Short mmCIF file of all heavy atoms in Angstrom, two decimals:
data_model
loop_
_atom_site.label_atom_id
_atom_site.label_comp_id
_atom_site.label_asym_id
_atom_site.label_seq_id
_atom_site.Cartn_x
_atom_site.Cartn_y
_atom_site.Cartn_z
N LEU T 93 120.11 -67.93 30.94
CA LEU T 93 119.58 -66.81 30.16
C LEU T 93 119.49 -66.97 28.66
O LEU T 93 118.69 -66.62 27.97
CB LEU T 93 120.28 -65.56 30.51
CG LEU T 93 120.09 -64.98 31.92
CD1 LEU T 93 120.70 -63.60 32.15
CD2 LEU T 93 118.59 -64.88 32.32
N PHE T 123 123.09 -62.04 27.21
CA PHE T 123 121.76 -61.66 27.21
C PHE T 123 121.66 -60.22 27.46
O PHE T 123 122.17 -59.74 28.45
CB PHE T 123 121.11 -62.49 28.31
CG PHE T 123 119.63 -62.20 28.71
CD1 PHE T 123 118.75 -62.98 28.14
CD2 PHE T 123 119.31 -61.20 29.61
CE1 PHE T 123 117.35 -62.79 28.46
CE2 PHE T 123 117.96 -61.01 30.00
CZ PHE T 123 117.06 -61.85 29.40
N LEU T 125 119.23 -57.25 27.80
CA LEU T 125 117.91 -56.69 28.01
C LEU T 125 118.06 -55.14 28.54
O LEU T 125 117.36 -54.32 28.07
CB LEU T 125 117.06 -57.49 29.05
CG LEU T 125 115.75 -57.05 29.51
CD1 LEU T 125 114.68 -57.05 28.27
CD2 LEU T 125 115.17 -57.92 30.73
N THR T 126 118.85 -55.13 29.61
CA THR T 126 119.06 -53.82 30.28
C THR T 126 119.62 -52.73 29.40
O THR T 126 120.42 -52.81 28.51
CB THR T 126 119.91 -53.93 31.41
OG1 THR T 126 119.48 -54.96 32.26
CG2 THR T 126 120.17 -52.63 32.27
N GLY T 131 116.25 -50.38 33.43
CA GLY T 131 116.85 -51.41 34.32
C GLY T 131 115.86 -52.27 34.92
O GLY T 131 115.34 -53.24 34.19
N SER T 132 115.35 -51.94 36.04
CA SER T 132 114.14 -52.55 36.77
C SER T 132 112.97 -52.34 35.81
O SER T 132 112.13 -53.24 35.70
CB SER T 132 113.89 -51.90 38.10
OG SER T 132 114.92 -52.21 38.92
N HIS T 133 112.91 -51.12 35.25
CA HIS T 133 111.78 -50.91 34.35
C HIS T 133 111.90 -51.54 32.87
O HIS T 133 112.21 -50.66 32.00
CB HIS T 133 111.45 -49.35 34.29
CG HIS T 133 110.02 -48.99 33.77
ND1 HIS T 133 109.60 -47.73 33.87
CD2 HIS T 133 109.03 -49.78 33.44
CE1 HIS T 133 108.36 -47.76 33.41
NE2 HIS T 133 108.01 -48.92 33.16
N ALA T 134 112.05 -52.72 32.98
CA ALA T 134 112.52 -53.42 31.72
C ALA T 134 111.65 -53.30 30.45
O ALA T 134 112.05 -53.48 29.28
CB ALA T 134 112.77 -54.97 31.87
N THR T 135 110.36 -52.86 30.63
CA THR T 135 109.49 -52.73 29.59
C THR T 135 109.84 -51.47 28.60
O THR T 135 109.44 -51.33 27.50
CB THR T 135 108.00 -52.62 29.91
OG1 THR T 135 107.98 -51.61 31.02
CG2 THR T 135 107.43 -53.98 30.47
N TYR T 178 105.15 -52.93 25.83
CA TYR T 178 106.04 -54.28 25.88
C TYR T 178 105.56 -55.24 24.98
O TYR T 178 106.40 -56.27 24.68
CB TYR T 178 105.84 -54.75 27.43
CG TYR T 178 104.63 -55.36 27.87
CD1 TYR T 178 104.29 -56.63 27.46
CD2 TYR T 178 103.75 -54.68 28.65
CE1 TYR T 178 103.14 -57.28 27.73
CE2 TYR T 178 102.47 -55.21 29.04
CZ TYR T 178 102.22 -56.53 28.62
OH TYR T 178 101.05 -57.04 28.99
N ARG T 179 104.37 -55.18 24.43
CA ARG T 179 103.93 -56.16 23.41
C ARG T 179 104.54 -55.78 22.12
O ARG T 179 104.38 -56.58 21.07
CB ARG T 179 102.45 -56.18 23.25
CG ARG T 179 101.68 -56.73 24.52
CD ARG T 179 100.33 -57.32 24.31
NE ARG T 179 99.82 -57.95 25.31
CZ ARG T 179 98.87 -57.49 26.10
NH1 ARG T 179 98.41 -56.24 25.94
NH2 ARG T 179 98.51 -58.12 27.26
N PHE T 232 109.00 -59.64 25.37
CA PHE T 232 109.15 -59.39 26.94
C PHE T 232 108.76 -60.67 27.69
O PHE T 232 109.36 -60.99 28.62
CB PHE T 232 108.21 -58.22 27.25
CG PHE T 232 108.42 -57.91 28.69
CD1 PHE T 232 109.44 -56.94 28.97
CD2 PHE T 232 107.46 -58.13 29.58
CE1 PHE T 232 109.72 -56.62 30.34
CE2 PHE T 232 107.59 -57.73 31.02
CZ PHE T 232 108.73 -56.99 31.36
N LYS T 233 107.90 -61.38 27.11
CA LYS T 233 107.46 -62.78 27.72
C LYS T 233 108.74 -63.65 27.76
O LYS T 233 109.02 -64.30 28.69
CB LYS T 233 106.29 -63.31 26.88
CG LYS T 233 105.52 -64.23 27.65
CD LYS T 233 104.40 -64.86 26.70
CE LYS T 233 103.28 -63.79 26.69
NZ LYS T 233 102.08 -64.55 26.13
N MET T 236 111.11 -62.40 30.34
CA MET T 236 110.68 -62.79 31.80
C MET T 236 110.83 -64.28 32.02
O MET T 236 111.19 -64.81 33.08
CB MET T 236 109.25 -62.40 31.92
CG MET T 236 109.03 -60.92 32.01
SD MET T 236 109.86 -60.10 33.47
CE MET T 236 111.10 -59.16 32.56
N SER T 237 110.60 -65.08 31.01
CA SER T 237 110.79 -66.64 31.21
C SER T 237 112.26 -67.02 31.42
O SER T 237 112.51 -67.77 32.17
CB SER T 237 110.21 -67.29 30.06
OG SER T 237 110.91 -67.18 28.92
N LEU T 239 114.39 -64.96 32.79
CA LEU T 239 114.78 -64.63 34.03
C LEU T 239 114.41 -65.58 35.12
O LEU T 239 114.95 -65.67 36.29
CB LEU T 239 114.34 -63.13 34.28
CG LEU T 239 115.20 -62.08 33.60
CD1 LEU T 239 114.42 -60.76 33.64
CD2 LEU T 239 116.51 -61.93 34.26
N ASP T 240 113.27 -66.29 34.86
CA ASP T 240 112.88 -67.41 35.82
C ASP T 240 114.04 -68.47 35.90
O ASP T 240 114.12 -69.03 36.95
CB ASP T 240 111.59 -68.09 35.34
CG ASP T 240 110.33 -67.30 35.75
OD1 ASP T 240 110.40 -66.36 36.49
OD2 ASP T 240 109.27 -67.57 35.17
N ARG T 243 117.41 -66.34 37.35
CA ARG T 243 117.41 -65.95 38.87
C ARG T 243 117.68 -67.32 39.68
O ARG T 243 118.24 -67.21 40.78
CB ARG T 243 116.04 -65.32 39.30
CG ARG T 243 115.92 -63.93 38.71
CD ARG T 243 114.57 -63.33 38.68
NE ARG T 243 114.52 -62.02 38.03
CZ ARG T 243 113.49 -61.33 37.70
NH1 ARG T 243 112.25 -61.92 37.82
NH2 ARG T 243 113.52 -60.24 37.04
N THR T 313 107.66 -68.55 39.22
CA THR T 313 108.18 -67.30 39.33
C THR T 313 108.23 -66.86 40.82
O THR T 313 109.23 -66.26 41.23
CB THR T 313 107.33 -66.32 38.51
OG1 THR T 313 107.34 -66.79 37.20
CG2 THR T 313 107.90 -64.87 38.66
N TYR T 362 121.81 -57.65 40.02
CA TYR T 362 121.54 -58.02 38.70
C TYR T 362 120.43 -59.12 38.68
O TYR T 362 120.09 -59.77 39.65
CB TYR T 362 122.85 -58.50 37.97
CG TYR T 362 123.61 -59.67 38.42
CD1 TYR T 362 123.07 -60.69 39.19
CD2 TYR T 362 124.95 -59.80 38.16
CE1 TYR T 362 123.77 -61.86 39.57
CE2 TYR T 362 125.64 -60.98 38.42
CZ TYR T 362 125.08 -61.99 39.19
OH TYR T 362 125.86 -62.99 39.56
N GLU T 363 119.86 -59.33 37.41
CA GLU T 363 118.79 -60.25 37.28
C GLU T 363 117.59 -59.89 38.06
O GLU T 363 116.71 -60.72 38.52
CB GLU T 363 119.21 -61.73 37.29
CG GLU T 363 120.36 -61.91 36.28
CD GLU T 363 120.45 -63.42 35.86
OE1 GLU T 363 119.28 -64.11 35.98
OE2 GLU T 363 121.45 -63.91 35.53
N GLY T 364 117.40 -58.67 38.37
CA GLY T 364 116.35 -58.14 39.18
C GLY T 364 116.66 -57.85 40.62
O GLY T 364 117.13 -58.84 41.40
N ILE T 368 112.90 -55.57 43.42
CA ILE T 368 111.97 -56.07 42.30
C ILE T 368 111.56 -57.42 42.76
O ILE T 368 110.24 -57.85 42.63
CB ILE T 368 112.66 -56.15 41.03
CG1 ILE T 368 112.94 -54.83 40.49
CG2 ILE T 368 112.03 -57.08 40.09
CD1 ILE T 368 111.57 -53.95 40.01
N ILE T 372 107.60 -58.61 43.09
CA ILE T 372 107.10 -59.86 42.46
C ILE T 372 106.42 -60.70 43.45
O ILE T 372 105.20 -61.24 43.23
CB ILE T 372 108.20 -60.63 41.68
CG1 ILE T 372 108.60 -59.76 40.44
CG2 ILE T 372 107.62 -61.97 41.19
CD1 ILE T 372 109.78 -60.26 39.75
N ARG T 375 103.20 -59.11 44.71
CA ARG T 375 102.09 -59.07 43.75
C ARG T 375 101.44 -60.49 43.74
O ARG T 375 100.14 -60.69 43.65
CB ARG T 375 102.73 -58.77 42.30
CG ARG T 375 101.67 -58.96 41.29
CD ARG T 375 102.18 -58.42 39.97
NE ARG T 375 103.26 -59.12 39.34
CZ ARG T 375 103.79 -58.86 38.26
NH1 ARG T 375 103.48 -57.95 37.48
NH2 ARG T 375 104.84 -59.70 37.77
N SER T 381 99.43 -55.37 41.55
CA SER T 381 100.74 -54.97 41.04
C SER T 381 101.25 -53.62 41.37
O SER T 381 100.37 -52.64 41.24
CB SER T 381 100.67 -55.00 39.51
OG SER T 381 102.00 -54.61 38.90
N PHE T 383 103.67 -52.32 39.94
CA PHE T 383 104.28 -51.71 38.69
C PHE T 383 103.33 -51.05 37.87
O PHE T 383 103.65 -50.28 37.03
CB PHE T 383 104.91 -52.80 37.94
CG PHE T 383 105.79 -53.75 38.68
CD1 PHE T 383 105.48 -55.15 38.88
CD2 PHE T 383 106.96 -53.32 39.44
CE1 PHE T 383 106.34 -55.96 39.65
CE2 PHE T 383 107.79 -54.11 40.14
CZ PHE T 383 107.44 -55.46 40.26
N1 LIG H 401 107.13 -66.04 32.13
C1 LIG H 401 106.56 -65.74 31.02
N2 LIG H 401 105.76 -64.64 30.77
C2 LIG H 401 105.71 -63.74 31.76
C3 LIG H 401 106.41 -63.93 33.02
C4 LIG H 401 107.19 -65.16 33.19
N3 LIG H 401 107.76 -65.39 34.40
N4 LIG H 401 106.31 -62.84 33.74
C5 LIG H 401 105.45 -62.02 33.06
N5 LIG H 401 105.27 -62.52 31.83
C6 LIG H 401 104.25 -61.94 30.78
C7 LIG H 401 102.92 -61.76 31.25
O1 LIG H 401 102.12 -62.75 31.10
C8 LIG H 401 102.66 -60.49 30.37
O2 LIG H 401 102.08 -60.96 29.11
P1 LIG H 401 100.73 -60.89 28.61
O3 LIG H 401 100.40 -59.36 28.72
O4 LIG H 401 100.70 -61.13 27.14
O5 LIG H 401 99.79 -61.60 29.53
C9 LIG H 401 103.96 -59.74 30.15
O6 LIG H 401 104.91 -60.68 30.37
C10 LIG H 401 104.00 -58.62 31.03
O7 LIG H 401 104.12 -59.15 32.36
P2 LIG H 401 103.95 -58.07 33.58
O8 LIG H 401 102.60 -57.48 33.62
O9 LIG H 401 104.36 -58.97 34.83
O10 LIG H 401 104.96 -56.92 33.39
P3 LIG H 401 105.43 -55.90 34.37
O11 LIG H 401 105.69 -54.67 33.66
O12 LIG H 401 104.38 -55.84 35.45
O13 LIG H 401 106.93 -56.57 34.92
C11 LIG H 401 108.73 -56.34 36.35
C12 LIG H 401 107.35 -55.79 35.83
C13 LIG H 401 109.32 -55.42 37.35
C14 LIG H 401 108.43 -57.78 37.05
C15 LIG H 401 109.71 -56.69 35.20
O14 LIG H 401 109.86 -55.44 34.54
C16 LIG H 401 111.13 -57.19 35.66
O15 LIG H 401 111.21 -58.27 36.15
N6 LIG H 401 111.99 -56.20 35.87
C17 LIG H 401 113.44 -56.49 36.27
C18 LIG H 401 114.06 -56.74 35.02
C19 LIG H 401 115.46 -57.45 35.32
O16 LIG H 401 115.44 -58.54 36.12
N7 LIG H 401 116.55 -56.93 34.80
C20 LIG H 401 117.73 -57.55 34.86
C21 LIG H 401 118.09 -57.87 33.41
S1 LIG H 401 119.22 -59.18 33.35
S2 LIG H 401 120.82 -58.48 34.25
#
Side-chain angles (χ1 to χ4, degrees):
L93 292 180
F123 178 89
L125 175 67
T126 301
S132 293
H133 199 175
T135 51
Y178 74 80
R179 291 202 175 102
F232 192 71
K233 202 179 281 196
M236 291 298 109
S237 72
L239 285 165
D240 279 345
R243 290 167 182 165
T313 303
Y362 68 21
E363 301 210 26
I368 287 293
I372 292 172
R375 178 170 65 180
S381 172
F383 310 117

